[in-house]
Amino acid sequence: MKDILTAPFVREMGETTANMYRLGWDERNGGNISYMLDKDEAAEYLDLGRVLRTIPTGFDAAPLAGRLFIVTGTGKYFKNVQKDPETNLGVIRIAQDGTTAELLWGYADGGRFTSELPAHLMSHMARLSVDPENRVVMHSHPTHTLAMNYVHELDERKFTHTLWEMCTECIVVFPDGVGVLPWMLCGTNAIGQATAEKMKEYRLVIWGMHGIYGAGRTMDETFGLIETVEKAAQIYMLTCGRPRLNTIRDDQLRELAEAFGVDYRRDFLDPERGQAKAGQQAANQQG
């Protein structure tokens, strides 16, 4: 059997958490990741018949019974994952009863998975219902995205539209937009259920005054979604208090989306609003 510390999924978790910590997205023990594993790949590194211990999940995840996940641990700092993965990560399998996780590796200090595992599993179920290839759910606290929550309306259409205007690539990277939730108590099934409902429509969900949830088929895709939102939010925060002389108009956003062949939220664009902005931009330039 191969050394699990050399497994691609362990290395990916280490590299990604290190990047997220370095970027300031996950201070202290903030943030968490769950990554659904391929059973055959995991079997190259683990004895799948050897259960170290069982841990209650806190809700019924029966649709995921038998699925394997590598998950960050509760109270663990992302900066420590790469140097000590066996303490800061764990590989779990959802038991047939749906309410128990079987620990196959990790949490070597007696720890357990993130307290937000129910929210993760609910989001996995929601994403799998619309995209059978989804494997990753990632939660973090990107600085500028969080700051934007305090100065921008927490409205999905308006929040998405503002982000799309900030960078040419945005409508291409997340054409499905960004879901938004008001502030809710974290670590509860209620916020998990609300997030999962949004995940049926969006791969990105803002937790008001808290952070963001992203979902994707790969670690790179999911990281890239959050990274793009954070870059757009940073540009917004750098410019929001100043007169705007230029913008990407709605007709240009539509042109972008159609040129790249992405299925975008057409209801988030307003032709009249785009024409009005074009007129205002022309007036500013003449002035």
Side-chain angles (χ1 to χ4, degrees), residues 161-162 165-166 244-251 253 270-284:
H161 195 284
T162 295
E165 288 180 302
M166 295 300 107
R244 186 183 296 183
L245 302 180
N246 303 292
T247 193
I248 305 174
R249 304 189 310 268
D250 281 29
D251 59 306
L253 289 170
D270 183 346
E272 292 182 4
R273 182 180 177 183
Q275 291 168 6
K277 284 187 178 180
Q280 183 61 52
Q281 183 176 338
N284 289 337

Side-chain angles (χ1 to χ4, degrees), residues 19 26 74 86 96 120 122 127 136 173 252:
N19 274 331
D26 295 277
T74 186
E86 192 170 6
Q96 290 304 310
H120 279 252
M122 291 176 200
R127 287 308 304 166
V136 178
V173 174
Q252 293 172 328

Side-chain angles (χ1 to χ4, degrees), residues 101-148:
E102 299 170 336
L103 180 64
L104 304 178
W105 173 84
Y107 307 140
D109 61 351
R112 53 182 288 151
F113 42 72
T114 171
S115 62
E116 289 175 359
L117 181 69
H120 279 252
L121 297 181
M122 291 176 200
S123 288
H124 276 289
M125 290 190 290
R127 287 308 304 166
L128 288 168
S129 72
V130 294
D131 179 7
E133 300 300 316
N134 191 86
R135 295 178 68 187
V136 178
V137 171
M138 184 180 293
H139 171 55
S140 63
H141 310 152
T143 305
H144 299 93
T145 304
L146 183 55
M148 189 173 166

